[in-house]
Amino acid sequence: MPTVLDAPTKMQTCIDACNACMQACEECLSLCLQEADAKARTHCINMLRDCADICAMSAQYMARGSHHAKQLCSLCASICDACASDCAQFRDPHCQRCADACQACANECRKMAQ
């Protein structure tokens, strides 16, 4: 897989995890809106939006080599943890896959934030 401007492996791994999480959150969000209990998922749906946005922004900050990338990755890890917890409450396969992607991203972002 090509790296962004020859980013260090640790950073590229985190960028990839952020992009995968953003995609999982967007897909889960769309599918949750189609569920019969969509109204009961309002908090989770809003969390999915937050998570997708922070993941995309974190990947962008890392790709451009921003001096604030580590700080943003720390926040991203917290939001991904919260989103993983919310998604894990729903038994739908898309929610479970999203929870896994969020947890993986949180782990990589914590490594980047160090």
Side-chain angles (χ1 to χ4, degrees):
M1 180 177 294
T3 58
V4 179
L5 299 177
D6 295 322
T9 301
K10 177 174 145 179
M11 186 181 296
Q12 186 60 50
T13 301
C14 191
I15 289 169
D16 293 343
C18 284
N19 286 331
C21 186
M22 180 273 302
Q23 181 177 349
C25 287
E26 291 289 355
E27 290 172 359
C28 189
L29 169 69
S30 293
L31 291 169
C32 280
L33 288 172
Q34 297 172 32
E35 295 290 345
D37 64 343
K39 190 165 180 78
R41 297 173 186 238
T42 301
H43 181 269
C44 187
I45 288 167
N46 286 330
M47 180 58 67
L48 285 162
R49 286 183 177 133
D50 287 350
C51 193
D53 288 348
I54 195 70
C55 287
M57 188 179 293
S58 295
Q60 291 169 325
Y61 272 50
M62 286 182 280
R64 73 173 68 120
S66 172
H67 294 297
H68 301 285
K70 285 185 178 190
Q71 293 158 309
L72 197 59
C73 284
S74 178
L75 177 59
C76 188
S78 296
I79 292 173
C80 285
D81 281 335
C83 193
S85 178
D86 282 0
C87 282
Q89 294 176 25
F90 298 97
R91 293 291 138 211
D92 309 295
H94 61 87
C95 289
Q96 294 300 306
R97 286 190 305 268
C98 188
D100 291 344
C102 289
Q103 195 57 62
C105 186
N107 293 340
E108 290 304 323
C109 280
R110 266 190 289 281
K111 291 176 193 174
M112 268 305 299
Q114 295 174 353

